[in-house]
Amino acid sequence: MKLVQKLLDSMGMSDFEPSLALRKMIQIAYLLSFALFLWNSLRIITDTEGPVVVVLSGSMRPAFHRGDILFVKNQQDPYQVGDIVVFKIPGKEIPIVHRILTSHMTDEGKQVFLTKGDNNTVADRGLYDYKNGQRWIEKKDIDGKIYANFPYLGMFTIWISEKPYYKFLVVAFVVVITFFSNE
């Protein structure tokens, strides 16, 4: 115990209280739990897997720019030409935000779509799982339609994802601020 006390004294933490540290850790756990609660609530309200996405490229300029935060909502009504949707390609992790360029009904009665980024010169056929016969996306591939956006507020998440070691620094900063803040 004396060794721990000497170490704390040398770090300028002679008044360190374990019960205070435990309370701070519980505060961090509450914060993380609340964030998870909000995320899951948004998923339920919007009926989509990813209710919030960040634009990662310039393919939808001028409508959306890299770093814009978009809010997504699944809709029961049929999607229409001109709708901006978020969809996923089977086997690819990152969702894509593009506009529906064309739509038609298959012989089986399914509505299928061809999409394109506003700033792209060609439609998205090259993005689809062409090797496995995917020429169109279906409603099951679409997470939802964009209903709101906040310009550039997502640049922080892009910065964090492009430089993974920054995640550690941000988490460490939050922990340090939480532990050393006054109650």
Side-chain angles (χ1 to χ4, degrees):
M1 188 66 181
K2 289 182 183 183
L3 179 62
V4 172
Q5 191 60 46
K6 278 187 176 185
L7 180 62
L8 290 172
D9 288 342
S10 70
M11 294 180 354
M13 299 174 57
S14 56
D15 57 347
F16 178 77
E17 295 178 36
S19 63
L20 180 61
L22 180 62
R23 280 193 303 231
K24 295 292 185 175
M25 285 191 284
I26 290 171
Q27 285 176 344
I28 291 171
Y30 279 147
L31 179 67
L32 293 175
S33 297
F34 183 69
L36 186 61
F37 169 77
L38 282 178
W39 179 258
N40 285 323
S41 296
L42 276 175
R43 287 178 61 191
I44 291 168
I45 291 167
T46 62
D47 189 28
T48 183
E49 197 175 303
V52 178
V53 296
V54 175
V55 177
L56 299 177
S57 75
S59 68
M60 280 302 294
R61 284 189 331 231
F64 303 118
H65 295 85
R66 180 174 156 85
D68 288 359
I69 292 179
L70 308 177
F71 288 88
V72 182
K73 185 171 185 183
N74 197 351
Q75 64 181 35
Q76 300 308 317
D77 299 332
Y79 292 102
Q80 299 176 9
V81 171
D83 287 347
I84 300 174
V85 295
V86 176
F87 63 94
K88 288 187 181 171
I89 302 298
K92 296 186 181 175
E93 186 177 319
I94 297 176
I96 300 168
V97 179
H98 281 173
R99 190 179 304 274
I100 294 176
L101 187 62
T102 62
S103 169
H104 78 270
M105 298 301 272
T106 66
D107 294 338
E108 296 85 32
K110 279 189 199 175
Q111 186 181 21
V112 293
F113 311 95
L114 178 63
T115 55
K116 178 184 173 292
D118 290 356
N119 198 35
N120 292 349
T121 55
V122 296
D124 291 340
R125 292 219 196 249
L127 296 175
Y128 302 158
D129 192 7
Y130 210 74
K131 284 189 272 183
N132 292 321
Q134 185 182 23
R135 309 284 190 271
W136 306 86
I137 60 169
E138 300 176 21
K139 183 169 174 141
K140 68 177 178 62
D141 300 317
I142 297 175
D143 282 346
K145 180 178 173 180
I146 304 303
Y147 69 91
N149 75 306
F150 289 102
Y152 302 109
L153 290 180
M155 285 307 291
F156 180 74
T157 61
I158 291 174
W159 178 68
I160 291 287
S161 65
E162 288 179 349
K163 300 188 181 340
Y165 54 90
Y166 286 168
K167 287 180 190 175
F168 171 75
L169 293 175
V170 169
V171 169
F173 177 75
V174 169
V175 168
V176 166
I177 292 298
T178 302
F179 270 99
F180 293 104
S181 67
N182 295 331
E183 277 204 53

